[in-house]
Coordinates of all heavy atoms in Angstrom, one line a residue:
A13 N 11.5 3.9 21.8 CA 10.2 4.4 22.4 C 9.0 4.0 21.5 O 8.0 3.5 22.0 CB 10.2 5.9 22.6
L14 N 9.2 4.1 20.2 CA 8.1 3.7 19.3 C 7.8 2.2 19.4 O 6.7 1.8 19.4 CB 8.5 4.0 17.8 CG 8.6 5.5 17.5 CD1 9.1 5.7 16.1 CD2 7.3 6.2 17.7
V82 N -8.4 11.3 7.6 CA -7.8 10.9 6.4 C -7.7 12.0 5.4 O -6.7 12.2 4.7 CB -8.6 9.7 5.8 CG1 -8.1 9.3 4.4 CG2 -8.5 8.5 6.7
E93 N -14.5 13.5 -0.6 CA -13.7 12.9 -1.7 C -13.0 11.7 -1.2 O -12.3 11.0 -1.9 CB -12.6 13.9 -2.2 CG -13.2 15.1 -2.9 CD -12.2 16.2 -3.3 OE1 -11.3 16.5 -2.5 OE2 -12.3 16.7 -4.4
A102 N -10.1 -3.1 -3.4 CA -11.5 -2.7 -3.6 C -11.6 -1.3 -4.2 O -12.5 -1.0 -5.0 CB -12.2 -2.8 -2.2
A108 N -12.5 1.0 -11.6 CA -12.6 0.2 -12.8 C -14.1 0.0 -13.2 O -14.5 0.1 -14.4 CB -11.8 -1.1 -12.7
E128 N 3.5 -3.1 -11.7 CA 2.3 -3.0 -10.9 C 2.0 -4.3 -10.1 O 2.2 -5.4 -10.6 CB 1.1 -2.6 -11.8 CG 1.2 -1.2 -12.4 CD 1.6 -0.1 -11.4 OE1 1.0 0.0 -10.3 OE2 2.5 0.6 -11.7
L139 N -11.6 -4.8 -17.0 CA -12.2 -3.7 -17.7 C -12.0 -3.8 -19.2 O -12.9 -3.5 -20.0 CB -11.7 -2.4 -17.1 CG -12.1 -1.1 -17.8 CD1 -13.6 -0.9 -17.6 CD2 -11.4 0.1 -17.1
A175 N -2.6 4.2 -14.9 CA -2.7 3.6 -13.5 C -1.3 3.2 -13.1 O -0.7 2.3 -13.7 CB -3.6 2.4 -13.5
G200 N -4.7 14.2 -21.9 CA -6.2 14.1 -21.7 C -6.6 12.8 -20.9 O -7.7 12.5 -20.9
H231 N -4.4 -1.4 6.6 CA -3.5 -2.3 7.3 C -2.0 -2.2 7.0 O -1.2 -2.8 7.7 CB -4.0 -3.8 7.0 CG -3.7 -4.2 5.6 ND1 -2.6 -4.9 5.2 CD2 -4.4 -4.0 4.4 CE1 -2.6 -5.1 3.9 NE2 -3.7 -4.5 3.4
E250 N -18.5 12.8 -8.6 CA -19.9 13.2 -8.9 C -20.5 12.6 -10.1 O -21.6 12.3 -10.2 CB -20.0 14.8 -9.0 CG -19.7 15.5 -7.7 CD -20.8 15.5 -6.7 OE1 -21.8 14.8 -6.9 OE2 -20.8 16.3 -5.7
P276 N -20.1 11.1 0.3 CA -19.4 9.9 -0.1 C -20.4 8.7 0.0 O -20.0 7.6 -0.5 CB -18.3 9.8 0.9 CG -18.9 10.3 2.2 CD -19.8 11.5 1.7
D297 N -3.6 9.6 13.3 CA -3.1 10.4 14.4 C -1.7 10.0 14.8 O -0.8 10.8 15.0 CB -4.0 10.3 15.7 CG -5.3 11.0 15.5 OD1 -5.4 11.8 14.6 OD2 -6.3 10.7 16.3
R319 N 21.2 -3.1 2.3 CA 22.0 -3.4 1.1 C 23.4 -3.6 1.3 O 24.1 -4.4 0.8 CB 21.8 -2.2 0.1 CG 20.5 -2.2 -0.6 CD 20.3 -0.9 -1.4 NE 19.0 -0.9 -1.9 CZ 18.6 -1.5 -3.0 NH1 19.5 -2.2 -3.7 NH2 17.4 -1.5 -3.4
L349 N 20.0 -20.3 -4.4 CA 19.0 -20.6 -3.3 C 17.6 -20.2 -3.7 O 17.4 -19.2 -4.5 CB 19.4 -19.8 -2.1 CG 20.7 -20.1 -1.4 CD1 20.8 -19.3 0.0 CD2 20.8 -21.6 -1.1
R366 N 9.2 -11.8 3.3 CA 8.3 -12.4 2.4 C 9.1 -13.1 1.2 O 10.1 -12.5 0.8 CB 7.4 -11.3 1.9 CG 6.4 -11.7 0.8 CD 5.0 -11.7 1.3 NE 4.1 -12.2 0.2 CZ 3.2 -11.5 -0.3 NH1 2.9 -10.3 0.1 NH2 2.4 -12.0 -1.3
M373 N 3.6 -10.9 -10.8 CA 4.1 -11.9 -11.7 C 4.7 -11.3 -13.0 O 5.8 -11.7 -13.4 CB 3.1 -12.9 -12.0 CG 2.8 -13.8 -10.8 SD 1.5 -15.0 -11.1 CE 2.3 -16.4 -11.7
K410 N 24.7 -20.8 4.8 CA 25.5 -21.9 5.2 C 24.7 -23.2 5.3 O 25.1 -24.2 4.7 CB 26.1 -21.6 6.6 CG 27.5 -22.0 6.7 CD 28.1 -21.4 8.0 CE 29.0 -22.3 8.7 NZ 29.3 -21.9 10.1
G417 N 17.9 -29.5 3.6 CA 16.7 -28.7 3.6 C 16.4 -28.0 2.3 O 15.4 -27.3 2.2

Side-chain angles (χ1 to χ4, degrees):
L14 293 177
V82 170
E93 293 175 317
E128 294 314 309
L139 173 62
H231 68 96
E250 291 284 10
D297 287 342
R319 284 172 183 280
L349 296 186
R366 175 109 183 242
M373 289 175 92
K410 220 165 139 194

